[in-house]
Amino acid sequence: MLRPTRGVSLLLVTALLGCAATGGSTFPGDGAVSADGSARRDGSTNRDGATNPDGSTTLPDGGSTDRDGAITPPDVPSTQTDGGKTTDGGVDPTDAGGGDGGLTPSNCGTMEVCNDGLDNDCNGRVDEGCACIPGQTIPCYDGPPYLVGVGVCAAGTQRCEGSGEFGTWSRCMGSVQPSADTCDGVDRDCDGNTSTGCGCTIGTSRGCYTGPMGTAGVGTCREGVQRCAATSGGRGAEWGACEGQVLPAANQCDGIDRACTGNPAEGCECTAGATRPCYSGAASTRNVGICHDGTQTCAVSGGRSMWPAACAGEVRPAAAEVCGNMLDDNCNGMVDEGCGGTLTCPGDQTVPAGSPISLRAMGMGLTNITWTVVTAPAGGAGSVVWAPNPPTQLTESFTPYIVGTYTLRVSGRDASGRTVTCMFNVTALPHGLRVQLTWNGTGDVDLHLHNATAGAWFNTNDCYYGNLSPSWGAVLDFDNTSTTGPENIRVDNPVAGSTYTVGVHNYARAMGRVATVQIFCGNTTSTMPTATYNSRAFTLSGSGNCANNDFWRVATVRFTSPTTCTITPINTYTTGSAACTGF
């Protein structure tokens, strides 16, 4: 069945279709007759090609020719709901809504509308049976029109083929129909979604980790990578295996955190290859005379590390003194005792830390008297004061500033040239308030004691290297500028109700150092500190009071009586420049 294109004359259309007006009854008033002989109320004739009163022609298949010559099929109105007309009297191909004549799968027409480029009767062919002018081309789509322009779906082209005045439309060539998405980021099924049926986009990757939560990035553990790949059937995509991840394993006690807990020594008694000093003799003979420590080396056995029972290289006391060798063979603090000459040390002593004590040794037939600090609390050996100095008399004044026990040796030489020695202990006891500072390497770290809970540091309220003995009773006994300390501040007679604040300043060259502060309160016979605090590793490497180096506010000390106190930790950090202007 041929349907002429728009613009063909009414007589020609009628001739092509072989249509002629037929007889029938006339509806009163307009004379029009329907195909079955009955008159229609609007005066038009049905299926006989008669001319309607409005100038249109009714075609044999039920369609009519509009006033402008376009053909309207019987199932689609030529005028849209908004009053406008389609370009060729048919369906607007850009409208998929159906409200103004557009076609959707639910409203496929029963008749093909010529020259609209659509498959109106939904039979898979476009404008079949329609007449056209040879050489004419129109856009077309032989699928659901609402897919055009969605994803890869696109319209094709029809060409009018034939010779003479009229031809017929070719099949729709070049249109792109939907196909399954291949998960490559392209919407091939034209549903507006590029990943229909896809778990991921092919070619992309993401981090992955199947170990316990919180272990990724700790120790040796690290994330791997998953890559998106097509499934085995070629349809859809999914994430592949996690490649390259490192999961927790047992520690090997070699300093590497393979268990990813943050502790490379978990499950280990020691670190493989580490060493420590050891000594199996009597404690009083350790490092006395010829006696000295040995070494133990950590070894791994059966997946665990442990220290060996043996102490390699140690030297323990001899059974008896060997006369004439000028050595303390039995490690009792005396050389060649019983071999000539006599020397007797004073008994063990106690003294308030920072106070002098008079020490007297008894000797006969001896020369070259020498007093030596054998052992001392951390920083104590370098801070004691002898008078006279150097200590070469049988009677000496000894002042220990750091709380703890000091082991002293007195030596002399007898007439035969043999050395005679003896040893004893002096214990420096805490009293009042004492604050002691040490650190774990070279650098200049300063101790501060502030007599208030507010106000700037580095002034008269602050006892430090620039204000050694302020009027309110604090004393900085010594300022250590290069080694590991100590520094010591004391208040011998604190007032009940008074509050002091302890601070530590990285003055210079102490970047990365860790400081230790010991605080002693009241008069006691114990050498254990009331409180001990350790800093973080100090930052910045400038120098000077007001530089931007770490200033550690350690704790406050409040005396409830002259001999008792309450210590409250602060443990906050600011800079030297901030401490110069504020608390």
Side-chain angles (χ1 to χ4, degrees):
M1 176 179 61
L2 298 177
R3 295 184 179 89
T5 61
R6 181 173 178 172
V8 181
S9 69
L10 180 61
L11 291 178
L12 179 57
V13 171
T14 304
L16 287 171
L17 297 173
C19 298
T22 60
S25 61
T26 304
F27 189 82
D30 60 7
V33 180
S34 63
D36 59 0
S38 62
R40 297 184 59 181
R41 291 184 181 274
D42 62 357
S44 63
T45 56
N46 188 25
R47 300 188 181 181
D48 58 0
T51 302
N52 295 321
D54 61 359
S56 61
T57 302
T58 301
L59 300 180
D61 62 355
S64 64
T65 304
D66 294 339
R67 290 177 181 272
D68 58 0
I71 297 172
T72 301
D75 58 345
V76 181
S78 61
T79 303
Q80 299 179 6
T81 56
D82 57 2
K85 292 184 178 180
T86 59
T87 57
D88 57 0
V91 178
D92 180 358
T94 64
D95 182 357
D100 56 359
L103 297 181
T104 66
S106 63
N107 69 348
C108 286
T110 58
M111 297 291 291
E112 189 73 12
V113 177
C114 289
N115 305 326
D116 64 352
L118 299 175
D119 179 13
N120 306 98
D121 55 7
C122 303
N123 67 351
R125 293 178 293 168
V126 178
D127 287 349
E128 72 278 7
C130 293
C132 57
I133 298 174
Q136 182 181 4
T137 60
I138 59 172
C140 61
Y141 192 69
D142 50 6
Y146 59 85
L147 296 180
V148 176
V150 180
V152 299
C153 292
T157 302
Q158 278 182 298
R159 182 178 181 84
C160 184
E161 297 175 345
S163 59
E165 187 173 359
F166 297 103
T168 58
W169 290 110
S170 68
R171 285 189 174 275
C172 187
M173 306 298 290
S175 65
V176 180
Q177 304 299 316
S179 61
D181 281 341
T182 59
C183 308
D184 58 356
V186 178
D187 180 13
R188 301 183 187 279
D189 61 1
C190 305
D191 64 351
N193 179 6
T194 61
S195 301
T196 301
C198 304
C200 52
T201 300
I202 294 176
T204 60
S205 61
R206 68 180 183 182
C208 58
Y209 187 71
T210 61
M213 182 178 297
T215 59
V218 178
T220 60
C221 293
R222 66 176 184 270
E223 286 188 344
V225 175
Q226 280 181 303
R227 294 176 173 82
C228 183
T231 57
S232 58
R235 295 178 63 85
E238 61 186 15
W239 292 109
C242 189
E243 301 176 350
Q245 65 176 335
V246 179
L247 300 177
N251 283 331
Q252 298 180 14
C253 307
D254 56 358
I256 298 175
D257 181 14
R258 292 179 170 83
C260 306
T261 62
N263 178 15
E266 183 170 308
C268 306
E269 181 180 320
C270 50
T271 301
T275 61
R276 70 176 183 182
C278 54
Y279 186 70
S280 61
S284 61
T285 64
R286 188 173 192 172
N287 296 321
V288 177
I290 65 172
C291 296
H292 61 76
D293 288 349
T295 301
Q296 288 176 316
T297 301
C298 181
V300 178
S301 176
R304 292 190 56 82
S305 63
M306 61 188 67
W307 296 108
C311 184
E314 68 172 340
V315 175
R316 295 181 293 179
E321 193 74 6
V322 178
C323 291
N325 66 355
M326 308 302 293
L327 298 174
D328 179 9
D329 302 286
N330 58 5
C331 304
N332 66 352
M334 296 181 288
V335 174
D336 289 350
E337 71 275 13
C339 299
T342 61
L343 179 63
T344 304
C345 286
D348 292 344
Q349 308 282 315
T350 60
V351 62
S355 301
I357 183 174
S358 180
L359 302 175
R360 180 176 177 80
M362 303 297 292
M364 294 182 60
L366 300 176
T367 59
N368 298 328
I369 301 298
T370 302
W371 297 73
T372 305
V373 177
V374 178
T375 63
S383 62
V384 300
V385 174
W386 295 96
N389 189 31
T392 58
Q393 307 298 317
L394 286 174
T395 300
E396 286 282 339
S397 174
F398 176 73
T399 304
Y401 287 96
I402 301 301
V403 173
T405 298
Y406 299 75
T407 299
L408 305 181
R409 177 190 293 133
V410 185
S411 302
R413 191 177 296 276
D414 67 6
S416 65
R418 291 173 296 185
T419 298
V420 181
T421 65
C422 62
M423 293 193 302
F424 66 104
N425 295 325
V426 174
T427 301
L429 297 176
H431 61 105
L433 171 64
R434 305 188 68 81
V435 183
Q436 298 176 176
L437 167 68
T438 56
W439 54 95
N440 66 341
T442 59
D444 189 358
V445 181
D446 288 332
L447 180 62
H448 290 248
L449 186 67
H450 201 292
N451 74 336
T453 57
W457 300 78
F458 303 98
N459 59 30
T460 57
N461 290 327
D462 185 3
C463 179
Y464 70 111
Y465 81 92
N467 190 24
L468 297 175
S469 55
S471 59
W472 44 271
V475 177
L476 174 66
D477 290 317
F478 33 80
D479 175 32
N480 192 303
T481 62
S482 60
T483 59
T484 60
E487 290 194 6
N488 184 80
I489 293 179
R490 55 189 168 90
V491 181
D492 290 335
N493 299 295
V495 178
S498 58
T499 299
Y500 305 92
T501 303
V502 179
V504 174
H505 182 216
N506 169 14
Y507 180 87
R509 306 183 312 280
M511 183 176 180
R513 299 290 179 258
V514 174
T516 298
V517 170
Q518 294 179 319
I519 301 175
F520 300 84
C521 279
N523 303 334
T524 176
T525 58
S526 173
T527 59
M528 294 296 294
T530 309
T532 301
Y533 301 98
N534 293 309
S535 74
R536 72 183 185 192
F538 287 135
T539 61
L540 305 179
S541 57
S543 63
N545 291 345
C546 299
N548 285 328
N549 287 2
D550 266 350
F551 192 99
W552 176 32
R553 291 171 292 199
V554 183
T556 59
V557 184
R558 179 175 176 79
F559 275 83
T560 54
S561 76
T563 59
T564 58
C565 72
T566 300
I567 300 175
T568 304
I570 302 174
N571 196 32
T572 62
Y573 294 82
T574 185
T575 61
S577 59
C580 280
T581 57
F583 193 76

